[in-house]
Amino acid sequence: MKPIELMLPQDQINRRVRELARQITLDYGGETPVLVGVLKGCMVFIADLMRHIKMPVQVEFVAPTSYKKAVRNEDDLTFLGGFSTELKGRHVLIVEGVVDSGRTITLLHAKLKPLEPASVEVVTLLDKPGSHRTKVHLKYVGFSVGNEFVIGFGLDNTQKYRNLPFIGRLLDT
Ligand code: IMP
Ligand code: MG
């Protein structure tokens, strides 16, 4: 295993996740929001976050897909499991592990819009504000980090390290 430097310890993440959940609970009041998790990076965060939200929520997932179209690679997102919730008129809360360029979030907004939700907001565990390439509005941010590659708590490096219970950086990449 490569050397890893601790960046955000587990107890600090847990405290912040509880704060985010408290704020979400206040903001959505009597509604039943639909959490839309962006796989796979969201998985640990969404599991912890939803258990601290004090009202009913529904949960759906999308997964990024990349396919070759003519000469370019095009990114897309697929709604998983047939997407069992009708989103029309519903309050949607996108749940991300990390926002980097902002492309995934922008793409997801475009996919959700024709489904006519009442609102669409974003909660992300990590944000890299210095890396945004598109204008994104992130209502809830756990931690802002620099333009560095981070792993753990669901985030991967070549599909590994998602199971680390903390956020760290790889030292020799
Ligand atoms: P964006 O579309 O550029 O905002 O990228 C978001 C996606 O890139 C995330 O869902 C992650 O899968 C991946 N990603 C970006 N930065 C990191 C990182 O530092 N560690 C792990 N995955 C990352
Ligand atoms: Mg990845």
Side-chain angles (χ1 to χ4, degrees):
M1 208 158 96
K2 292 176 181 172
I4 294 161
E5 184 184 35
L6 176 64
M7 200 175 148
L8 295 167
Q10 208 170 344
D11 61 338
Q12 195 179 341
I13 301 171
N14 292 345
R15 258 198 318 269
R16 189 69 187 120
V17 169
R18 282 198 294 274
E19 285 172 7
L20 291 171
R22 195 178 313 122
Q23 193 57 53
I24 289 165
T25 303
L26 286 172
D27 291 350
Y28 286 85
E31 303 288 342
T32 300
V34 184
L35 307 182
V36 175
V38 184
L39 292 173
K40 301 175 191 170
C42 76
M43 60 184 186
V44 178
F45 177 45
I46 196 171
D48 281 1
L49 182 74
M50 62 192 275
R51 283 180 291 175
H52 291 291
I53 295 178
K54 307 285 184 222
M55 66 205 165
V57 295
Q58 286 176 256
V59 186
E60 300 287 349
F61 291 102
V62 293
T65 48
S66 204
Y67 59 95
K68 274 200 177 1
K69 190 179 178 186
V71 285
R72 290 196 298 135
N73 272 327
E74 295 240 333
D75 295 325
D76 198 2
L77 287 164
T78 307
F79 295 111
L80 290 191
F83 220 73
S84 38
T85 306
E86 161 90 71
L87 293 186
K88 190 176 168 120
R90 302 296 304 277
H91 293 283
V92 170
L93 182 58
I94 296 169
V95 184
E96 248 292 20
V98 56
V99 176
D100 185 26
S101 71
R103 286 194 54 196
T104 306
I105 292 299
T106 301
L107 192 59
L108 185 49
H109 268 287
K111 286 245 158 190
L112 291 170
K113 198 168 180 215
L115 305 178
E116 300 178 58
S119 68
V120 181
E121 300 289 354
V122 179
V123 55
T124 185
L125 179 61
L126 301 181
D127 180 32
K128 301 184 186 178
S131 299
H132 294 181
R133 293 291 169 265
T134 70
K135 198 169 172 309
V136 281
H137 172 68
L138 307 175
K139 186 162 188 188
Y140 310 97
V141 173
F143 303 92
S144 290
V145 298
N147 297 359
E148 55 192 332
F149 201 83
V150 294
I151 51 162
F153 216 82
L155 304 179
D156 74 305
N157 174 247
T158 61
Q159 299 304 326
K160 295 191 293 282
Y161 307 104
R162 294 192 196 275
N163 56 319
L164 294 178
F166 55 87
I167 303 273
R169 34 172 101 79
L170 279 181
L171 290 181
D172 65 342
T173 46

